[in-house]
Amino acid sequence: MTDINDLQTTYLSAIKGAPTLTVLEEIRLNALGKQGEISLLMKTLGKMEPKERQEKGVIFNGIRTQIAAALEERKAKLAAAEMTEKLKAESLDVSLSARGELKGSVHPLSQAQYELTEIFSSMGFHVVEGPHIEDDFHNFSALNIPPEHPAREEQDTFYLPKGEDGETLLLRTQTSPVQIRTMQNKKPPIRVVAPGRVYRSDYDQTHTPTFHQIEGLFIDRNIHMGHLKRCVVDFCRAFFEIPDLELRFRPSFFPFTEPSAEVDIACVRRDGELILGEKGDWLEVIGCGMVHPKVLDNCGIDSTEYQGFAFGLGIERMAMLKYGIPDLRSFYDTDNRWLRHYGFSAFEALMGGAK
Ligand code: DAH
């Protein structure tokens, strides 16, 4: 009997101390497996006298049941512990910082165009557009540009092959033809700006075959140069965000305006840096003038009744000056690193470039 009791105690304590499910399974096989010690013990019952069998049978069964229960209990405990360990090992470290997302940005050209139209809208100008493929009339003749004018030459203008009707169309060299189309379709008062792409056969550090302009046109009764000056001064101060920016109107010539002027803004160059708004030097930014009476008449507007002013400026140039971009060609290089550096977030764009 002591042997049996020893066996029971040994197994129960081995089960209790089993460190892993594998060790526990070994113990189970040693005890209850086909050749296990308890199973063999059970087999001895068959050879016993009925009375002894009855007596021992109860005891052996009790031991077997107890060991089986202890095995189950230990198994559940070890399984739970192993699961906890596993979960711990596989758990997600949520404190890891997220991988940076690649965000798109607003091209400085779009940003500048947005800011320009925003300012002119606030002055009551409407935005209009015109075709990029133009005819000679809208791009040149109606604008009082004579047949011998150098701008018409092939080295400056991209002409399309002659059409079946004998007409040679061209890629517009300026946004000024939108003035003509607007005046042909609308009676004064007119107050429009026309931003868009223009094309010239040119390529160096300050010229690209395509670039952008914004054209302004204001036609009404009793309009004079004072209105033009007020409009241009207010616009430049708003765009460059310099409230007391000094401007200079320099007499110039354009075939479609009379008188014509070029507008310079005050600046200085210090240690290779261009500083806008400080007095010392001048920088040309806008071409403008009073719309030539011939241009009004070409569009069916009575020049004895109506007057107006027009202006045109390069959008890339404005963006380069405002955002400090040194090379015009970089606008068209589609280099993502450049765009990440000079681009604007959509939020900034919405805020009109507010920093
Ligand atoms: N079209 C001119 C150019 O491309 C710019 C310009 C100058 C437009 C004077 C105007 C203006 O409307 O009045 O150089």
Side-chain angles (χ1 to χ4, degrees), residues 48 55 68 167 183 201 328 336 344:
M48 289 179 188
E55 231 174 70
E167 200 182 352
M183 288 191 280
S201 185
L328 173 69
N336 264 327
F344 290 79

Side-chain angles (χ1 to χ4, degrees), residues 274-341:
L274 179 71
I275 300 151
L276 301 181
E278 284 191 28
K279 277 189 263 180
D281 209 347
W282 296 102
L283 195 70
E284 182 197 317
V285 286
I286 297 177
C288 62
M290 301 306 293
V291 178
H292 198 294
K294 274 194 190 162
V295 174
L296 294 169
D297 293 337
N298 286 341
C299 301
I301 291 179
D302 184 352
S303 57
T304 60
E305 194 182 347
Y306 292 104
Q307 309 75 39
F309 61 82
F311 54 87
L313 46 132
I315 303 183
E316 281 84 351
R317 184 165 169 73
M318 297 303 264
M320 286 167 79
L321 292 173
K322 182 163 179 180
Y323 314 135
I325 301 172
D327 192 337
L328 173 69
R329 288 171 295 194
S330 58
F331 278 83
Y332 301 103
D333 282 345
T334 62
D335 183 337
N336 264 327
R337 290 163 307 174
W338 181 87
L339 195 53
R340 265 198 294 280
H341 182 76

Side-chain angles (χ1 to χ4, degrees), residues 173-176 179 200 213 215-216 254 256-257 287-289 310-312:
T173 60
Q174 49 188 352
T175 41
S176 304
Q179 280 189 34
R200 284 185 203 175
Q213 291 186 329
E215 186 84 12
F254 298 104
F256 34 90
T257 44
C288 62
F311 54 87

Side-chain angles (χ1 to χ4, degrees), residues 24 123 142 177 180 193 250 266 283 312 321:
L24 189 68
M123 292 176 165
I180 304 299
V193 282
R250 191 163 33 81
L283 195 70
L321 292 173

Side-chain angles (χ1 to χ4, degrees), residues 109-121 125-132 134 172 174-179 182 191-199 210-217 235 311-316 318:
L109 197 51
S110 308
Q111 175 70 24
Q113 184 167 321
Y114 178 81
E115 290 182 34
L116 290 163
T117 49
E118 193 56 20
I119 294 167
F120 286 119
S121 299
F125 287 83
H126 293 285
V127 176
V128 290
E129 287 185 324
H132 292 207
E134 268 297 3
R172 66 179 183 188
Q174 49 188 352
T175 41
S176 304
V178 188
Q179 280 189 34
T182 306
R191 213 187 284 194
V192 293
V193 282
R197 179 171 285 205
V198 299
Y199 307 83
T210 176
F211 61 102
H212 295 73
Q213 291 186 329
I214 185 165
E215 186 84 12
L217 179 69
F235 156 71
F311 54 87
L313 46 132
I315 303 183
E316 281 84 351
M318 297 303 264

